[in-house]
Amino acid sequence: DGGITQSPKYLFRKEGQNVTLSCEQNLNHDAMYWYRQDPGQGLRLIYYSQIVNDFQKGDIAEGYSVSREKKESFPLTVTSAQKNPTAFYLCASSIPRGPQADTIYFGEGSWLTVV
Amino acid sequence: QKEVEQNSGPLSVPEGAIASLNCTYSDRGSQSFFWYRQYSGKSPELIMFIYSNGDKEDGRFTAQLNKASQYVSLLIRDSQPSDSATYLCAVSMNTGFQKLVFGTGTRLLVSP
């Protein structure tokens, strides 16, 4: 089945540790995204990538890093510099639909908790 | 100022009724508008998108767009308890890269 796979689904991080969330898609989509969602909040964009070996900061990139070495993969590292990392992390991908907009599809999400 | 605003709810409707969810946006240059449904603890799933003024129907769902008034709405006809979820409005801003901006969502409760 085609889709977006995120792992792990649940992750616990100790203070001061870096952790990496995996995101793989087999939809042959060019663009990939990472969003963060806090309880009762909307989705906020962390990083996005339109093409392999290129990525841009979103609205809340501080304390996060990404790489895009393969079209299928867009891992997110939550560094110790991220002051409040406990949240639901969503990876997404999209393919352009003409001049209008990218329709974004989401993976199942990863829950990160700092302990 | 929030770019995409939604009433957080909850919006409570009885089974079989029409649920009306509203969203306003601030950027007049916005081009594309999306509705996502999100069940508790799950990821958002796309319900509909709309680009042009007017109505767009898909089964029990109708999206309505009014660019002059800068609002977009989602109507759910014959609401079912399984429709109980949070509905996220997302707008593609008129920037070089059309990234989506999400509202905080409206929680819908459909009672049997």
Side-chain angles (χ1 to χ4, degrees):
Chain A
D1 277 357
I4 304 169
T5 302
Q6 290 186 239
S7 64
K9 189 169 179 62
Y10 300 97
L11 184 61
F12 297 89
R13 191 194 90 169
K14 293 183 179 179
E15 296 275 358
Q17 277 186 338
N18 293 353
V19 293
T20 297
L21 307 179
S22 169
C23 178
E24 303 278 335
Q25 56 99 358
N26 60 5
L27 300 168
N28 200 33
H29 286 175
D30 292 310
M32 297 187 73
Y33 314 76
W34 276 104
Y35 285 88
R36 167 180 173 148
Q37 188 175 35
D38 294 281
Q41 306 267 344
L43 278 67
R44 292 183 290 168
L45 184 63
I46 304 173
Y47 268 98
Y48 61 95
S49 168
Q50 296 175 261
I51 197 169
V52 175
N53 293 322
D54 185 52
F55 49 84
Q56 288 80 37
K57 293 181 179 180
D59 301 317
I60 56 166
E62 184 176 353
Y64 300 96
S65 66
V66 294
S67 63
R68 188 84 186 277
E69 297 176 1
K70 299 186 299 181
K71 186 176 184 178
E72 304 79 17
S73 179
F74 192 42
L76 173 74
T77 297
V78 185
T79 75
S80 56
Q82 170 49 237
K83 300 303 181 192
N84 185 21
T86 296
F88 187 41
Y89 289 87
L90 290 157
C91 179
S93 68
S94 70
I95 186 169
R97 290 180 178 267
Q100 296 292 339
D102 294 350
T103 302
I104 293 178
Y105 299 92
F106 289 90
E108 294 190 344
S110 293
W111 291 92
L112 174 62
T113 303
V114 174
V115 297
Chain B
Q1 182 183 1
K2 289 187 178 178
E3 296 176 338
V4 178
E5 294 205 35
Q6 296 181 257
N7 188 319
S8 60
L11 173 66
S12 295
V13 300
E15 183 175 358
I18 296 175
S20 178
L21 305 162
N22 299 313
C23 170
T24 59
Y25 59 94
S26 60
D27 190 331
R28 286 195 170 272
S30 299
Q31 298 292 322
S32 306
F33 308 85
F34 302 81
W35 282 101
Y36 287 84
R37 177 174 63 198
Q38 186 175 27
Y39 293 111
S40 181
K42 302 295 185 182
S43 63
E45 56 179 319
L46 181 67
I47 297 176
M48 292 190 69
F49 56 87
I50 186 167
Y51 300 149
S52 304
N53 275 329
D55 294 1
K56 179 181 179 182
E57 187 174 319
D58 184 1
R60 296 187 296 114
F61 299 97
T62 299
Q64 299 176 318
L65 175 61
N66 184 323
K67 288 187 176 181
S69 299
Q70 294 177 246
Y71 84 79
V72 57
S73 62
L74 179 69
L75 301 179
I76 306 174
R77 290 181 300 280
D78 188 23
S79 295
Q80 301 297 310
S82 58
D83 294 326
S84 297
T86 296
Y87 289 80
L88 302 171
C89 173
V91 175
S92 174
M93 295 300 181
N94 190 25
T95 61
F97 176 71
Q98 293 172 327
K99 61 185 177 74
L100 294 188
V101 177
F102 285 82
T104 55
T106 298
R107 186 176 170 213
L108 173 66
L109 297 176
V110 181
S111 54

